[in-house]
Amino acid sequence: MYLVLYSVLCTHDPVPNMNTTESTSSYNNLEQMSTLDLLLNINKEDQTVPLAVQKVIPSIEKVVNEVAKKLADGGRLFYIGAGTSGRLGVVDASECPPTFGVPHDLVNGIIAGGDTAIRKAVEFAEDDEQQAWIDLKAKNISNKDVIIGIAASGRTPYVLGGINASKSNGIYTACICCNEGSVIAQAVEDAIEVVVGPEFVTGSTRMKSGTAQKLVLNMISTAVMIKLGKVKGNKMVDMQLSNLKLVDRAKRMVMDEIPVNYEEATCLIEKHGSVRNAVDAWLKNAK
């Protein structure tokens, strides 16, 4: 019996449909490399990521336009993900209020396992197909909103379950994944498939895949906020003035927009609380 089992195992391809993200690294004997070689080779691999992102810009464009339209109509954006993918969604969402002055519930990052999983992995949280929809319903999700599933593999049960439930409730869905033709890409209306190839450490998708996801998230949230009018010229005119560096930046932005000195800009910022409001108030009074 053991001989038969061995024969079956040896003749059957164990990975007939191996995902790119799980394929073997192009490098071997990593533990024998010098520190310099490790760093040079990681950097060499990292340089391929922006090129992979460039190839899918048309897909990103479609998602940006749809998200901007939904948010302009009163909807919200939700990222759902597990592990690194979930953390990246949380980071991008959490940066939107201070950067663009939007409400904290406009862009939301939901991670499998809840906020605990941001710092510490929650075992098997990503394998629960039902939990994402439970988490979304807790946020009063509706068909005015947008769901973007983030999953390097393109098959994470938590994310896929959330996508499928969202679709069945008439909610627009998109995804960011790093395997071509994945299950999640086939499930959503618009898929962003950034195929970055094997990781430097086999299967470590926190590396190139995570970098690709971060770049795409930067593009989506920044482009959407610009389209919503949260940037003027090239400046974050609605940013929250939450520390001294940002307050100083705001004053200099005011000086760039209108003919006032630093002291006058300081008074305007202290009185009106944002670059946009300070400039608008000065222009109104100047008429």
Side-chain angles (χ1 to χ4, degrees), residues 39-53:
L39 300 179
L40 287 172
N41 288 325
I42 291 172
N43 179 250
K44 180 181 178 181
E45 287 299 301
D46 286 345
Q47 290 179 47
T48 68
V49 176
L51 298 177
V53 172

Side-chain angles (χ1 to χ4, degrees), residues 3-223:
L3 288 175
V4 172
L5 178 60
Y6 177 80
S7 176
V8 170
L9 289 174
C10 288
T11 56
H12 176 67
D13 181 1
V15 284
N17 296 306
M18 176 180 278
N19 291 323
T20 303
T21 53
E22 294 294 326
S23 56
T24 301
S25 172
S26 302
Y27 304 81
N28 205 350
N29 301 317
L30 305 187
E31 72 279 9
Q32 297 176 23
M33 290 184 185
S34 67
T35 300
L36 179 60
D37 284 341
L38 286 170
L39 300 179
L40 287 172
N41 288 325
I42 291 172
N43 179 250
K44 180 181 178 181
E45 287 299 301
D46 286 345
Q47 290 179 47
T48 68
V49 176
L51 298 177
V53 172
Q54 184 181 44
K55 292 178 181 178
V56 297
I57 285 178
S59 298
I60 301 171
E61 179 187 22
K62 292 176 66 177
V63 174
V64 166
N65 287 335
E66 189 65 33
V67 173
K69 182 173 69 176
K70 287 284 190 178
L71 268 56
D73 289 339
R76 297 167 296 166
L77 169 58
F78 288 85
Y79 300 128
I80 56 173
T84 297
S85 298
R87 293 182 190 101
L88 290 169
V90 170
V91 167
D92 193 74
S94 66
E95 291 288 353
C96 287
T99 305
F100 302 108
V102 297
H104 285 273
D105 65 347
L106 184 67
V107 182
N108 305 269
I110 298 178
I111 182 172
D115 286 353
T116 299
I118 296 173
R119 293 181 178 273
K120 184 178 179 181
V122 177
E123 291 185 0
F124 301 108
E126 71 172 52
D127 298 319
D128 189 337
E129 292 186 25
Q130 309 302 320
Q131 188 60 47
W133 183 241
I134 295 171
D135 294 340
L136 288 166
K137 286 196 296 183
K139 300 288 188 179
N140 298 314
I141 193 77
S142 78
N143 59 12
K144 294 175 63 177
D145 300 323
V146 177
I147 307 295
I148 298 180
I150 313 170
S153 67
R155 65 187 184 199
T156 307
Y158 176 88
V159 180
L160 189 59
I163 289 293
N164 287 332
S166 297
K167 277 188 66 178
S168 66
N169 282 273
I171 300 168
Y172 169 79
T173 59
C175 74
I176 305 169
C177 59
C178 298
N179 282 317
E180 191 172 10
S182 66
V183 177
I184 196 171
Q186 297 173 37
V188 299
E189 278 89 343
D190 290 307
I192 300 169
E193 299 175 288
V194 192
V195 182
V196 296
E199 298 287 358
F200 180 72
V201 176
T202 299
S204 183
T205 53
R206 70 184 184 86
M207 301 185 76
K208 290 196 299 181
S209 295
T211 300
Q213 291 171 333
K214 174 59 176 167
L215 291 176
V216 173
L217 288 167
N218 285 349
M219 295 168 80
I220 291 173
S221 57
T222 303

